Amino acid sequence: MHNVKQQKGVTLIELMITVSIVAIILAFVGPSIQSILIKNRIVAEINEISSVIQYARHHAIDEQAQVVVCPSTDYSECSEDWNDPKIVFIDDNDDEIRDVGEELLVSVGATSKSSLMTNTTDTIKFTGTGEANLATEILLCHKDGEAKYARSLSVTLQGRVKMSTDSDKNGINENAAGNELSC
C-alpha cells in the first residue's frame, strides 16, 4: 500500500480573503488605536511631571529648604521652555541657578516631540512648609492641538497638586477652576 501525504496550507483565495478581512478591521480599529496611544502618552507625561512636583514639595518639607522645579537645557540654569528637561534642586541662594554646592535632586527628560507643555510660571518653588511661591497651571497638549488630548496640573499656593478631570464626561478635561482645557 502506498501512503499519499496530504498537503497542508492555504490556497491563494483563502489568503486573499484573510488579508481583506484584516485590512477592513484595521481600517476601523486603526484610528481608535492611534487615539488611545496619544492619550496614554499624554497621561504618562503628565503623571511624570506630577510625581516630580510632589517629590520636590516633600523634599522641601523634609529638608526645611527652598526647592525649585524648573525646565533647564543645561541641568544648571532654569529656562522658560517647559518642553526642556525638568530639574529639581535645593536653591540655597534663591537665584534659580543650580550652583556648584546645590545638588541636583532629580531630573526628567524633555517633553516628547509630539507634545507641548506650557506653564503659567517659569519656576515652581516650594518653601520648607510645602507652600508654593505662586499658584500655577501646567498644560500638556498633543501637537495637533485637539482639546480631547489636553491634560493639566494645578499647583495651589498651599503646594497641593491637582490633576485635571473630565467631570462632565464630554471628552474634554477641566482644570481645577472647572474651565475646559484648550490647546
Side-chain angles (χ1 to χ4, degrees):
M1 197 141 113
H2 199 256
N3 282 344
V4 177
K5 290 186 179 181
Q6 289 184 336
Q7 287 188 344
K8 295 182 181 178
V10 294
T11 66
L12 182 58
I13 292 175
E14 291 170 333
L15 181 63
M16 288 174 50
I17 290 171
T18 303
V19 169
S20 298
I21 291 171
V22 168
I24 291 169
I25 290 171
L26 286 177
F28 288 106
V29 176
S32 63
I33 289 175
Q34 179 72 10
S35 179
I36 290 168
L37 292 175
I38 291 170
K39 283 180 183 178
N40 285 346
R41 186 178 314 113
I42 295 285
V43 168
E45 285 185 285
I46 205 75
N47 284 341
E48 181 179 52
I49 192 68
S50 175
S51 296
V52 167
I53 292 169
Q54 290 178 43
Y55 171 82
R57 180 175 187 252
H58 291 292
H59 198 82
I61 294 168
D62 288 346
E63 296 296 321
Q64 292 294 298
Q66 178 171 269
V67 176
V68 171
V69 179
C70 67
S72 176
T73 55
D74 60 3
Y75 295 89
S76 182
E77 192 169 334
C78 292
S79 70
E80 296 177 4
D81 185 359
W82 278 81
N83 294 298
D84 291 339
K86 274 60 94 189
I87 60 173
V88 177
F89 64 98
I90 295 176
D91 193 10
D92 291 326
N93 56 2
D94 196 23
D95 64 353
E96 297 178 9
I97 297 173
R98 190 175 65 85
D99 300 315
V100 175
E102 297 171 337
E103 178 186 359
L104 178 65
L105 300 173
V106 71
S107 66
V108 293
T111 306
S112 71
K113 296 198 184 306
S114 64
S115 301
L116 177 65
M117 185 179 288
T118 57
N119 191 354
T120 54
T121 60
D122 293 339
T123 60
I124 302 170
K125 297 179 190 177
F126 291 104
T127 65
T129 60
E131 296 173 337
N133 62 325
L134 295 169
T136 186
E137 184 176 1
I138 297 172
L139 179 65
L140 185 63
C141 294
H142 187 257
K143 65 181 178 184
D144 68 9
E146 288 189 49
K148 68 180 179 181
Y149 299 127
R151 299 292 182 270
S152 75
L153 286 176
S154 298
V155 181
T156 66
L157 288 173
Q158 295 81 21
R160 304 262 188 240
V161 179
K162 184 172 192 271
M163 188 132 4
S164 62
T165 59
D166 182 13
S167 58
D168 59 6
K169 307 291 185 223
N170 69 347
I172 299 175
N173 279 22
E174 298 91 27
N175 62 14
N179 302 321
E180 285 189 352
L181 301 178
S182 64
C183 296

